[in-house]
Amino acid sequence: MAEGRRPRIYTIPAHRAFADALVAGLMRRHGGEPLGLARGLVLLPNNRAKIAITEAFVRASGGGLVLPRLVAIGADDLGEAIGAALDPADDAAPVPPAIAPLARRMILSRLVQEERGDLDAAEAVRLAGELARTLDQLIVEEVPPSRLAELDLGPELSEHWQRALASFRVVLDRWPGELARLGRIDLAERRARLLSRLAGRLSETPPAGFVCAAGITDSAPAVARLLRSIAFLPKGMVVLAGVDTAMPEEEWEALGPHPEDERRRAIEVHPQFHLKLLLERIGVARGEVTTWRDGSDFDASAARGRAIANALAPADFTGKWTGLAAADRRLTGVRAAEFANPAGEAQAIALALRGALETEGRTAALVTPDRALARRVAAHCKRWNIGIDDTAGRPLSILPPGTLLSAIAEAAAQDFAPLALLTLLKHPLVRAGDQRAAWLDGVRRLDRALRGPRPAPGLSGIDARMGEDRWWSETRDLLAPIAAELGASDRPFAGRIAALREAAQALAGDEAWRGPAGRAAADLLAELEAEAEAGPRAVSLDDLAPLIRLLMDEVAVRPAQGGHPRLAIYGLIEARLQSADLMILGGLNEGVWPGTPAPDPWLAPRIRAALGLPGLERRIGVAAHDFGQGLGAPEVLLTRARRDSRSPTLASRFWLRLEAMAGKDFARAHDLEGWVEALDRPAAHRPASRPAPSPAKELRPREISVTQVDRLNADPFAFYAQRILRLAALDPVDADPTAAWRGTAVHEVLERWAREDGCAIEKLRPRALAMLDDPAAHPLLRALWQPRLIAAIDWIANRLAQQRAEGRNVLRVEEKGAAEIAGVRLSGKFDRIDRAADGSLVIVDYKTGKAPSPLAVREGFSMQLGLLGAIAEAGGFEGISGTAGGFEYWSLAKYRDEFGQVTSPVDPAGKNGRILTGEFVERARRTFTAAAEQWLTGDEPFVAKLHPEYAPYADYDQLMRRDEWYGRDR
């Protein structure tokens, strides 16, 4: 390094397109001779930056060009990328290889689990990931582990942080031994050694060609040393992105760090902080940074650059906004748009991207950290057959191969519970191809069979529902090995991974491993199986699904290039150094951009500060820098949604700064906001009228059950949908026991007690207990309903014993019958019919809830008991004759302090508004006759919700489009 030589450090302002400006300057300096560029070396932050610089060279050259060597210093294969420059022909010992990230994760998870024995495997792996990140920060910032032992924070730390710090020290003490055993070093340490070796090599033997470090903002000491060595090379240059050389010195100094005053905090959330720290570590002052003089067609105006700098001033200096000249606050070319929800925001962004294609050669890009928004935008673009690449990728966990692995693990862990099993069997990769249609036919049969309360656990419980179904027998043969191999309690971790892979192969074949996502899944399982032995000591089946999902969340699957050449979607890292005519900065809500800093579970903020590690909020400063760089495009669109899927949102602090500084000049994209609203706004509202279908008489049913009469009277359309259209609501899969289901269970107990036990009172309770003890009985029924059921059963037994003493006996239970009334066959099934002491019949209906009110009976509803009496008097029930003289509801609901109550809709004297006992059957007959003549033998339309107060069920409300017409005629 030459003494006294001025360092060559440049900055490309935020309002210029970095890649194109850089290339223009390099070609001006070194493109005059044929191999001038080819002899050069350009160091870049990441592989995406290499693509951006390559594309910029292509745009600038207009033809053939031999490029300089482009090297990403953030790449895992750094040594191989730089080649001979890092491995000179001397006696220097080679840098040891780095440990694979997953191998390190597994070892650290085992150490964490051994140190904190109360952790399950999935939580240990999660904490190991956080531990690895903290360990990397110590390595990158060159903080020796011995500093931890020197810390003495006394009572300042809570007990929680004291325990976390103690665990961290133990693991950190054991980790070097694990690395030594393997002959490996950490990847961060290897990169630091390689960069230090490159810095020394460049200083000792400067290359013949130029060396340029461009767009690197990492302030790590090893990176700073490398940049320093490059800056002082005879043909070296360091080109930084967006250093604000015009920021007032007072503001620049306020950023920190302030080692001389520990009480004064650095402003790490500012976009210039990490650049200031980098310059200090390089050893140069801001005044030595020169503005790169070259530009490009993608640049915005210098006025935009001043406005961006003013908007992102430190908080203590934003008071200057009120005194700024109009030109220093004007954001010409920047527009903002707000939308009601993320769906509207995504549609607007897609419209803006589509609009850019209307101008030949115009480019556009979306930059957002919100991957869900990115996926929505890509989906909207498909409506115009526009493919668009999201260079940030998508997590493996949400792609088909990843969801298949999760579904297998979940199904096995839940012992093939209905929802988990159906999720697995309906997965799009399972039996994909020619077998898919036949496979789905079988899955639909299984779906129907699993409707209602959950069957007994395991495959045997489903056997009872499916019977002799051939498809299920074949499917069971596929699932049985999964249950045996994956679910074995003594299965080691590697064995579970192997079983998971074999299960995926058995169910989906090669489709499970096809394409980029399939290959990523296969690679993850292969690596995990190889490293599993070093991982957590006990991985239960319950741990497997969350553990696999956690690891797949961290695997980004990037699509093969093939999207539209003029459109792109970038994450924040991928967007660095990119340029476009229209740059859309989307998802500008607090917590998204900038994101909420994730807490460090190992080191408290006070400890991190004492060690000299970056504050957790420094990521906000980096996000602010990315935002400022994105604002430098010729045209910029800012977007946000006023609420997300859960609650209202708060605009990003960056959005609010621009809005506060620009004031009335903060331009809004009202046209775009209006287009989004117009897309979903019909020209006219034509709500549906109340449906009243009127089928021909011959299509109307001539048979009806007593339980359907109320529906016919109260909601004729629902009757029409059920009986004529034959549409029936399905129970949910794995449903909780409903009142109807509990009623069915009670009726079954009473029916079997009557038929098999001869109504012996002493056998009623044992019969109910036997039903509850059945393995097929729903656990919720046993756990929650058993006490009230037994109390109600005891009440029934006592009541029956009392009636027998009074000369009343049970005649029949649970039998069907029918009678012709008004030209219609009326059928019904009674719960119980007793013979009273005077010889009359008593119709009994069991209710697990409350009995119908007398008011409902007076208004012509809840006539079921009267209609059953009419059938009985007409001889419709075989072997039963006589006059119906009693009608009772036996309710098993709690009444006052006891379970069980007998009520009746009739009274011999008509007391309390009840119907006279002698008139009940005839009144029920007349009510039914009127309904039959209107809708069954007549031609009256089936009007929807005729009496909504007696039509509480909503099974057909969507079919009748109830919300469109209900209430308009009232």
Side-chain angles (χ1 to χ4, degrees), residues 887-958:
F887 307 91
E888 295 177 350
Y889 291 112
W890 286 38
S891 173
L892 307 187
K894 191 172 185 179
Y895 178 71
R896 295 180 180 171
D897 295 330
E898 297 180 353
F899 288 98
Q901 180 187 21
V902 175
T903 60
S904 176
V906 300
D907 184 81
K911 295 179 181 178
N912 299 322
R914 290 178 171 82
I915 298 172
L916 291 171
T917 304
E919 297 178 0
F920 188 40
V921 171
E922 183 57 30
R923 187 162 181 172
R925 190 182 290 114
R926 287 199 307 269
T927 299
F928 173 71
T929 299
E933 290 175 348
Q934 279 184 287
W935 292 292
L936 302 183
T937 60
D939 56 6
E940 187 76 13
F942 290 92
V943 180
K945 295 290 183 183
L946 195 57
H947 298 284
E949 64 272 26
Y950 295 112
Y953 299 107
D955 293 346
Y956 302 99
D957 282 5
Q958 185 176 10

Side-chain angles (χ1 to χ4, degrees), residues 573-864:
I573 295 176
E574 290 75 22
R576 293 170 188 166
L577 312 191
Q578 303 291 338
S579 57
D581 295 306
L582 170 63
M583 193 70 80
I584 303 171
L585 309 183
L588 282 167
N589 284 325
E590 198 68 14
V592 178
W593 192 352
T596 303
D600 184 346
W602 292 101
L603 299 180
R606 179 72 180 83
I607 299 176
R608 295 178 64 88
L611 291 173
L613 295 179
L616 298 176
E617 62 272 14
R618 187 177 298 184
R619 298 176 190 174
I620 296 177
V622 176
H625 185 263
D626 294 334
F627 178 73
Q629 294 295 111
L631 284 173
E635 184 179 348
V636 178
L637 174 65
L638 311 176
T639 68
R640 67 172 293 261
R642 287 187 289 271
R643 66 171 296 120
D644 57 21
S645 59
R646 298 182 299 274
S647 61
T649 59
L650 180 66
S652 166
R653 64 188 71 184
F654 309 145
W655 175 293
L656 295 175
R657 277 173 167 265
L658 294 180
E659 190 174 37
M661 184 199 71
K664 63 181 181 180
D665 295 328
F666 190 55
R668 299 299 292 266
H670 293 300
D671 53 347
L672 188 60
E673 294 171 347
W675 293 345
V676 171
E677 293 178 3
L679 278 174
D680 295 325
R681 184 173 61 240
H685 291 277
R686 300 188 185 89
S689 58
R690 172 182 272 187
S694 183
K697 289 184 179 181
E698 57 270 19
L699 297 178
R700 302 187 180 215
R702 291 294 192 272
E703 181 176 346
I704 184 174
S705 168
V706 295
T707 58
Q708 296 173 333
V709 175
D710 276 355
R711 174 165 282 178
L712 177 62
N713 273 320
D715 191 354
F717 180 87
F719 177 85
Y720 163 81
Q722 182 186 47
R723 289 297 308 277
I724 299 178
L725 298 184
R726 299 183 184 278
L727 300 176
L730 294 176
D731 289 333
V733 174
D734 204 358
D736 288 334
T738 62
W741 186 83
R742 292 196 300 266
T744 300
V746 171
H747 280 77
E748 182 180 354
V749 169
L750 295 172
E751 181 178 2
R752 296 183 64 181
W753 166 69
R755 297 190 189 282
E756 299 176 18
D757 300 330
C759 293
I761 293 175
E762 67 277 4
K763 293 187 178 181
L764 180 54
R765 180 169 182 158
R767 174 64 64 181
L769 291 172
M771 183 270 290
L772 291 169
D773 291 338
D774 190 330
H778 196 282
L780 196 63
L781 183 68
R782 288 197 296 268
L784 301 181
W785 210 55
Q786 179 171 344
R788 66 178 296 175
L789 174 63
I790 296 304
I793 288 293
D794 289 343
W795 173 80
I796 291 175
N798 294 333
R799 185 79 182 186
L800 286 173
Q802 180 182 350
Q803 288 181 349
R804 285 184 181 178
E806 297 171 354
R808 175 174 157 182
N809 295 296
V810 175
L811 191 59
R812 296 285 181 84
V813 297
E814 301 288 346
E815 290 190 5
K816 295 180 180 179
E820 180 110 356
I821 301 176
V824 175
R825 187 171 186 269
L826 178 65
S827 63
K829 181 179 180 180
F830 59 79
D831 290 344
R832 199 179 90 214
I833 292 183
D834 295 350
R835 180 74 72 182
D838 61 2
S840 63
L841 302 177
V842 181
I843 315 296
V844 177
D845 186 21
Y846 293 114
K847 294 290 184 184
T848 53
K850 291 184 178 180
S853 68
L855 176 62
V857 179
R858 283 202 312 273
E859 294 193 3
F861 298 94
S862 301
M863 290 286 189
Q864 182 177 345

Side-chain angles (χ1 to χ4, degrees), residues 98-361:
I99 187 170
L102 188 59
R104 180 171 77 155
R105 184 79 169 267
M106 289 296 103
I107 295 173
L108 288 176
S109 66
R110 172 172 52 82
L111 297 180
V112 168
Q113 196 178 47
E114 290 173 355
E115 176 61 24
R116 299 172 61 173
D118 57 336
L119 296 178
D120 58 46
E123 180 64 8
V125 171
R126 186 191 70 81
L127 285 175
E130 300 289 348
L131 177 63
R133 279 186 280 275
T134 304
L135 181 58
D136 283 343
Q137 289 178 341
L138 288 172
I139 295 171
V140 167
E141 294 296 326
E142 299 181 357
V143 177
S146 59
R147 287 278 304 279
L148 283 170
E150 299 169 3
L151 290 177
D152 183 16
L153 301 177
E156 296 180 32
L157 286 183
S158 67
E159 184 180 351
H160 162 74
W161 285 118
Q162 293 282 9
R163 289 198 307 269
L165 181 58
S167 299
F168 185 77
R169 286 170 173 162
V170 171
V171 173
L172 211 58
D173 289 343
R174 296 179 61 185
W175 177 237
E178 296 286 344
L179 288 175
R181 178 176 59 83
L182 298 171
R184 297 285 192 270
I185 61 175
D186 286 298
L187 181 60
E189 182 179 351
R190 186 171 195 272
R191 181 179 291 113
R193 290 193 192 182
L194 291 173
L195 292 177
S196 297
R197 180 171 292 188
L198 175 59
R201 176 66 175 172
L202 292 175
S203 299
E204 294 169 5
T205 311
F210 73 89
V211 179
C212 175
I216 297 170
T217 57
D218 188 351
S219 58
V223 174
R225 288 192 294 269
L226 173 62
L227 297 186
R228 177 177 175 81
S229 67
I230 293 173
F232 284 96
L233 289 177
K235 294 183 179 181
M237 65 190 82
V238 174
V239 186
L240 302 177
V243 176
D244 190 353
T245 57
M247 175 185 279
E249 191 64 26
E250 182 185 12
E251 295 181 24
W252 181 261
E253 290 302 322
L255 298 180
H258 308 287
E260 72 287 348
D261 186 357
E262 294 183 359
R263 294 173 298 177
R264 192 178 178 190
R265 294 188 61 186
I267 310 176
E268 294 189 70
V269 297
H270 194 274
Q272 293 293 312
F273 175 82
H274 63 289
L275 295 173
K276 182 175 186 289
L277 182 62
L278 176 60
L279 290 176
E280 290 184 356
R281 287 179 171 178
I282 292 175
V284 299
R286 184 176 54 141
E288 297 178 275
V289 178
T290 305
T291 300
W292 191 260
R293 76 182 213 188
D294 300 273
S296 73
D297 295 337
F298 293 99
D299 295 348
S301 64
R304 173 91 63 79
R306 292 195 299 274
I308 295 170
N310 287 327
L312 298 178
D316 291 342
F317 299 91
T318 53
K320 68 179 181 180
W321 290 347
T322 57
L324 289 175
D328 291 336
R329 69 168 74 211
R330 188 175 297 122
L331 293 165
T332 305
V334 178
R335 299 195 302 162
E338 282 187 295
F339 303 93
N341 50 52
E345 183 183 8
Q347 194 163 67
I349 294 171
L351 284 171
L353 293 173
R354 176 68 181 85
L357 298 182
E358 295 298 308
T359 303
E360 185 175 356

